[in-house]
Amino acid sequence: MKRMLCIAALLLTACQDQSTTAQGSAGDLVNQAVEAQGGAQALRALNRLELKGDARFWEPGQSQAAGGEARELGTATIEVTWDLAKGMARTTWNRDQQYPPPAVKLNYSETVLPTLGFVTDSTGSKPMSGIRVATHLRELERASPRLLLKAMDNPGEVSAMEPQQLGERTLPAVSYNDAGTTFVILFDPMTHLPAAIRTRDDDNMAGDSNFDLVLDGWTPAGAAEVARSLSYRINDVEVARVNYSAVTPNPIIAADAFAVPEAVMAAAKPPATGNVPYQWVLRRLFLTRLTDSDAIITPDGGALNLVELAPNVQHVQGGTANNLIVAFRDFLVVFDAPYGELQSRWVIDAAKAKYPGKPIRYIVLTHHHMDHAGGLRTYVADGATVVVPSETVEYFQKVISAPHTVVPDDLTKSPRTPVVYGVFENMTIKDDTTDLRLYNMSGASSATAERLGNPHVDGMLIGHVVGHKLIYVTDLISPRGAPIARSEATVAVGNTLREWDVEDTDLTFVGGHGGTVKQADMAAALAEN
């Protein structure tokens, strides 16, 4: 018995020694990084920064080909006034946004305090949503030159980790819990400087993802060192890059630099404290398409709703993107899966309430872009067969199988392996009540003739509810009240209808964004070149 107790004691001591060694190793990495950044005293003296530079943005979820090269969105110049000590920053943007079309120039500033945030442009100042404030505060903390100083001052929040992969490099790392956010800090073993600051985020397409701020171009700021090159990457794919051409340490900041307008103060929202869709907020900001609302997919005060277009055909409107529900005698077909589980769950519940006893047999995805496909997995969990352009079958199989443990979804809780069916040219879903046809606007060649593609993506389905003369089309035509101008996109839709001998002259086009438009109101836009 004594021998067993002695062995147990020895094992416990060994474990304690290993834990102490690990903590020591983690602390050493942090301390070395602080020294490499100029030392604790220099970082404590760096209370303010003024930064000027340029930025570029990309979006993998808007690629031309599914899983292909990220689409370049645009460029910007940037000026930042940052009170590091008080956790406040004002960022002024002059953006040249090239995608999505039409190209546009935007000028605005974002001001963030620990308790609120607001956006100012030529129309005035408006409060940010709580999720936007929380996202900005997290990213300011990630990019702060004093993050490692905070970690050094709070050793109990620092833990040892296995080395982490960054591109082709394997780097030493520690985990730092910063007021509920876990930052994984990777270090350059040669310089001891932080190489990347990582969080584990939920991406609506890729699932559990590494979101990294990769730091480079270190330069003096007073006695401290700060990074001038900031590359933001999701799973090693760059989505934003900021390069600072001017770094001014401890500038004099005007007393009213962070003043909050009275109208903003009255309506200001505190930073959200849970269920923040960080990747959605960031990537929609990069795309300049964020609905700045804590409802995420609808504006403040708005809601999703069913709009009946014809007997047994419902258009889901009110969100960032739409669905179409087509009811057959015994089942339902739903088009598109915008955003994520939030909208998909609403649509599934609304469809089943509207048509009791009818399961959703097919979820049809017009194309692979994240704002129209991010909620796919919810339909898979509900038992639907997935119908996609043939070019995207493999991509969507990966989307369906991606782990979602950071934010567990319905498919994580109730796993299924669905059928994923690719439409090469066309497909018909039909019973004695409804005739639905799908056409792939693909540039791939068929056995008989060269196919006609579209400028938006490689592979795009449009839906034709034959009896009701409805055409569901996403992105290529977006009815929002203004006349639809002739473009390469509208001509592509017209070409596809001609290819499949859709000769009706009184069609109604139903948008994946916006509402509906009559063919008569856009005949010139559809005409052949």
Side-chain angles (χ1 to χ4, degrees), residues 206-282:
D208 300 349
S209 298
N210 287 335
F211 184 56
D212 295 323
L213 168 57
V214 180
L215 303 167
D216 205 353
W218 293 86
T219 190
E225 294 279 327
V226 300
R228 295 173 72 151
S229 174
L230 288 74
S231 173
Y232 292 86
R233 305 177 189 176
I234 183 80
N235 297 323
D236 285 329
V237 176
E238 191 169 41
V239 291
R241 183 192 306 155
V242 177
N243 290 309
Y244 292 121
S245 55
V247 177
T248 304
N250 293 323
I252 296 173
I253 297 178
D256 61 351
F258 306 108
V260 182
E262 286 187 21
V264 168
M265 186 66 77
K269 297 179 179 179
T273 56
N275 301 320
V276 178
Y278 290 109
Q279 282 306 308
W280 181 257
V281 174
L282 285 168

Side-chain angles (χ1 to χ4, degrees), residues 38 73 93 168 191 201 210 228 274 346 379 428 451 467 471:
L73 305 179
W93 296 97
E168 296 181 354
T191 65
D201 283 1
N210 287 335
R228 295 173 72 151
W346 188 95
Y379 291 94
T428 298
R451 301 292 315 290
I471 301 293

